[in-house]
Amino acid sequence: MLSCGIVGLPLCGKSTVFNVITRAGAEVKPYAGGKTDPNKAVVSVPDARFDWLVSLFSPKKETPASVEFVDLAGLSQGASKGAGLGNAFLSFVENADALVHVVRAFANDDVPHPLDSLDPLRDWQTVEMELIFRDLAVIENRLGRLAGKKKLQPGEEQELPLLERCQAHLMEERPLREMVLTAEERALLRGFAFVTLKPELVVVNLDDSQREENVPGLADLRQLGRERNFEVIGVYGSMEMEMADLSAEDQAAFMADLAIDEPGRNRLIAGAYRLLGLISFFTVGPDEVRAWTLHDGEKAVDAAGTIHSDLARGFIRAEIAHYDDFAAHEGSKAKMREKGLLKLEGKDYTVRDGDIIEIRFNV
């Protein structure tokens, strides 16, 4: 299962955001980087389409899509040189498939900011630079080893100029995720577990007295996100963690007061799912309604193999009904078939987010 590592400076509210997302009840206290073991939780992906299909079929079993979140210890300034948890923290980051980067906007006199002032843009840049320094150290170490060889192997001859390109890019204080890389180049880099190559979602942790437009530096961070293609989501972390215990009516009243249409939890999980490049397809029936996870761009035969290896091995055709058409016709395949909306596709059909799939196979 793919996982999102939650990163940020100490005392930015990462564990609070983790609890908002997971409702796991992880301990939240004002420690400054002394904890090493990460909190982990697998959460269901909120999806109104899945909920509607469950209400339609009333199945014996319902299985939503899921994703794992890992609450990592705070990254101290200077971690790349051993400060704070140093390499212990960075080794946890290496294992994540994507990063949820929490930056602090809330004020709390009982929990002083480690850099003595609130500045979301500066905090984002601080952590980003530590991750860049880590990747630079990995490259410098590898280039030193290659330089000591009398003769490079064929794979190393390709690796050398690619690493030099990566090094030059990082020296411009730009993460590797912003580089244009071919699939072959990404394969060459995979073994290095570069942390700045991982996709990133930025979460601004607010308190309920704030409005986003009045937070100093937040507009600049959002503008940077638009320029550099990362999403910025604002969340009222502490309040939303407490709100989870309220009734649906009280939750709605709280959200109305804050002028938000959707709980931060839902926005964060959906954002993380997109960040990982994932889509959902469905299988439906009276026994089970299930949301399955694929990488965007994968094919019908990949969907079959996700369900069971026998389905991929004996694949004949995939019957495809897209959710939008299925819902518009109240779940009637007969009506869809009349209008040509029910399709039979081969192995190379590219699965769309929201496809309802039935695999025809013979083993």
XYZ file of all heavy atoms in Angstrom, residues 81-120:
296
model
N 22.632 17.913 8.537
C 23.975 17.877 9.118
C 23.973 17.205 10.486
O 24.917 17.340 11.257
C 24.522 19.303 9.223
C 24.656 19.996 7.868
C 25.151 21.422 8.013
C 25.243 22.107 6.658
N 25.675 23.524 6.767
N 22.845 16.526 10.782
C 22.786 15.760 12.019
C 22.020 16.394 13.148
O 21.891 15.795 14.214
N 21.477 17.604 12.962
C 20.741 18.269 14.032
C 19.424 17.541 14.291
O 18.847 16.933 13.390
C 20.473 19.730 13.680
N 18.934 17.632 15.544
C 17.682 16.968 15.883
C 17.826 15.469 15.699
O 18.782 14.858 16.150
N 16.862 14.878 14.994
C 16.928 13.438 14.733
C 17.766 13.119 13.503
O 18.056 11.968 13.226
C 15.518 12.873 14.550
C 14.623 12.958 15.789
C 13.240 12.431 15.459
C 15.217 12.192 16.953
N 18.130 14.164 12.755
C 19.044 13.998 11.637
C 18.696 12.872 10.698
O 17.597 12.785 10.177
N 19.652 11.968 10.513
C 19.486 10.893 9.532
C 18.371 9.923 9.906
O 17.794 9.285 9.024
C 20.806 10.140 9.360
C 21.862 11.000 8.687
O 21.534 11.875 7.905
N 23.121 10.753 9.007
N 18.060 9.799 11.205
C 16.963 8.911 11.604
C 15.656 9.400 11.009
O 14.846 8.608 10.523
C 16.860 8.866 13.133
N 15.445 10.722 11.033
C 14.241 11.274 10.416
C 14.273 11.061 8.909
O 13.293 10.617 8.300
C 14.129 12.773 10.707
C 13.090 13.471 9.877
C 11.764 13.489 10.274
C 13.425 14.066 8.669
C 10.794 14.099 9.502
C 12.470 14.678 7.888
C 11.151 14.700 8.310
N 15.387 11.386 8.289
C 15.460 11.329 6.828
C 15.286 9.908 6.313
O 14.757 9.709 5.220
C 16.795 11.931 6.352
C 16.916 13.450 6.605
C 18.345 13.917 6.337
C 15.939 14.224 5.744
N 15.675 8.913 7.108
C 15.473 7.530 6.666
C 13.992 7.191 6.629
O 13.540 6.436 5.771
C 16.215 6.568 7.595
O 15.643 6.569 8.889
N 13.181 7.770 7.554
C 11.738 7.571 7.510
C 11.150 8.214 6.258
O 10.266 7.663 5.610
C 11.069 8.160 8.760
C 11.302 7.375 10.014
C 11.694 8.005 11.182
C 11.114 6.000 10.049
C 11.900 7.286 12.347
C 11.313 5.276 11.212
C 11.708 5.926 12.365
N 11.635 9.399 5.917
C 11.124 10.117 4.747
C 11.379 9.312 3.478
O 10.550 9.274 2.568
C 11.746 11.519 4.635
C 11.221 12.250 3.411
C 11.446 12.340 5.886
N 12.536 8.658 3.411
C 12.882 7.862 2.234
C 11.824 6.811 1.918
O 11.601 6.477 0.759
C 14.221 7.152 2.450
C 15.435 8.057 2.456
C 16.693 7.290 2.806
O 16.639 6.037 2.823
O 17.720 7.928 3.084
N 11.182 6.286 2.953
C 10.243 5.177 2.766
C 8.849 5.635 2.352
O 8.011 4.801 2.002
C 10.154 4.358 4.058
C 11.462 3.662 4.388
O 12.187 3.247 3.501
N 11.774 3.553 5.670
N 8.565 6.919 2.406
C 7.248 7.438 2.018
C 7.166 7.557 0.499
O 8.167 7.807 -0.172
C 6.998 8.795 2.665
N 5.969 7.391 -0.036
C 5.770 7.534 -1.480
C 5.465 8.979 -1.864
O 5.663 9.376 -3.015
C 4.615 6.637 -1.935
C 4.922 5.165 -1.698
O 5.818 4.633 -2.381
O 4.291 4.557 -0.816
N 4.953 9.757 -0.920
C 4.646 11.173 -1.149
C 4.748 11.886 0.190
O 4.727 11.255 1.255
C 3.249 11.333 -1.748
N 4.855 13.212 0.147
C 5.027 14.010 1.359
C 3.838 14.932 1.562
O 3.413 15.627 0.639
C 6.305 14.848 1.279
C 7.614 14.083 1.017
C 8.785 15.063 0.982
C 7.839 13.006 2.069
N 3.301 14.930 2.786
C 2.321 15.927 3.212
C 3.077 16.862 4.153
O 3.428 16.478 5.273
C 1.124 15.271 3.931
C 0.180 16.341 4.478
C 0.382 14.343 2.986
N 3.351 18.071 3.678
C 4.231 19.004 4.383
C 3.372 20.002 5.159
O 2.695 20.842 4.562
C 5.128 19.705 3.368
C 6.130 20.634 3.961
N 7.161 21.182 3.237
C 6.268 21.136 5.222
C 7.876 21.962 4.017
N 7.337 21.948 5.236
N 3.400 19.904 6.491
C 2.600 20.777 7.346
C 3.412 22.012 7.720
O 4.551 21.892 8.210
C 2.141 20.040 8.628
C 1.325 20.981 9.528
C 1.335 18.808 8.267
N 2.842 23.187 7.497
C 3.466 24.435 7.935
C 2.532 25.125 8.920
O 1.307 25.046 8.805
C 3.817 25.369 6.760
C 4.896 24.761 5.893
C 2.588 25.689 5.925
N 3.106 25.802 9.861
C 2.342 26.358 10.976
C 1.903 27.791 10.702
O 2.697 28.632 10.295
C 3.198 26.316 12.238
C 2.557 26.958 13.452
C 3.399 26.724 14.691
N 2.915 27.486 15.834
C 3.368 27.350 17.070
N 4.334 26.466 17.325
N 2.877 28.093 18.056
N 0.608 28.048 10.953
C 0.097 29.417 10.913
C -0.548 29.801 12.239
O -0.791 30.975 12.491
C -0.916 29.582 9.776
N -0.835 28.810 13.104
C -1.530 29.087 14.359
C -0.573 29.685 15.402
O 0.618 29.380 15.417
C -2.170 27.814 14.922
C -1.193 26.769 15.391
C -0.719 26.773 16.705
C -0.744 25.776 14.536
C 0.181 25.815 17.142
C 0.151 24.804 14.966
C 0.620 24.822 16.279
N -1.126 30.531 16.272
C -0.377 31.092 17.394
C -0.789 30.387 18.674
O -1.967 30.117 18.889
C -0.646 32.591 17.509
N 0.191 30.065 19.524
C -0.092 29.428 20.807
C 1.085 29.718 21.741
O 2.183 29.209 21.536
C -0.289 27.923 20.630
C -0.727 27.237 21.911
O -0.469 27.720 23.011
N -1.383 26.094 21.776
N 0.850 30.567 22.749
C 1.933 30.959 23.658
C 2.491 29.777 24.433
O 3.647 29.804 24.871
C 1.433 32.022 24.643
C 1.107 33.343 23.946
O 1.645 33.562 22.846
O 0.319 34.136 24.507
N 1.680 28.732 24.613
C 2.153 27.547 25.340
C 3.040 26.657 24.474
O 3.726 25.772 24.991
C 0.963 26.728 25.845
C 0.149 27.481 26.887
O 0.745 28.297 27.629
O -1.076 27.272 26.945
N 2.980 26.866 23.170
C 3.788 26.073 22.233
C 4.537 27.054 21.323
O 4.118 27.336 20.208
C 2.900 25.129 21.384
C 3.768 24.214 20.522
C 1.990 24.299 22.263
N 5.646 27.619 21.799
C 6.359 28.624 21.008
C 6.915 28.041 19.715
O 7.333 26.881 19.668
C 7.487 29.082 21.938
C 7.660 27.967 22.908
C 6.307 27.354 23.091
N 6.904 28.848 18.686
C 7.452 28.421 17.397
C 8.963 28.241 17.536
O 9.636 29.092 18.110
C 7.139 29.478 16.333
C 7.376 29.003 14.932
N 8.638 28.733 14.444
C 6.518 28.738 13.915
C 8.542 28.333 13.182
N 7.269 28.332 12.845
N 9.531 27.142 17.010
C 10.979 26.910 17.157
C 11.843 27.976 16.502
O 13.010 28.135 16.872
C 11.191 25.538 16.509
C 10.000 25.313 15.643
C 8.864 26.026 16.307
N 11.283 28.719 15.536
C 12.030 29.815 14.896
C 11.557 31.181 15.388
O 11.881 32.205 14.792
C 11.911 29.714 13.371
C 12.442 28.418 12.746
C 12.307 28.445 11.232
C 13.894 28.166 13.138
N 10.742 31.174 16.462
C 10.357 32.391 17.211
C 9.344 33.289 16.530
O 8.956 34.313 17.114
C 11.596 33.233 17.575
C 12.541 32.465 18.492
O 12.047 31.704 19.341
O 13.769 32.609 18.335
N 8.898 32.971 15.328
C 7.882 33.800 14.672
C 7.115 32.958 13.670
O 7.590 31.905 13.231
C 8.527 34.998 13.963
O 9.397 34.567 12.935
N 5.901 33.420 13.318
C 5.069 32.701 12.355
C 5.353 33.205 10.952
O 5.256 34.397 10.675
C 3.588 32.893 12.689
C 3.119 32.332 14.035
C 1.661 32.709 14.277
C 3.292 30.823 14.091
N 5.692 32.279 10.071
C 5.966 32.628 8.673
C 5.864 31.343 7.847
O 6.850 30.619 7.694
C 7.354 33.250 8.526
C 7.616 33.790 7.123
O 6.982 33.305 6.162
O 8.460 34.695 6.983
N 4.674 31.015 7.321
C 4.498 29.746 6.589
C 5.463 29.575 5.421
O 5.969 28.464 5.202
C 3.042 29.817 6.111
C 2.364 30.734 7.074
C 3.403 31.749 7.447
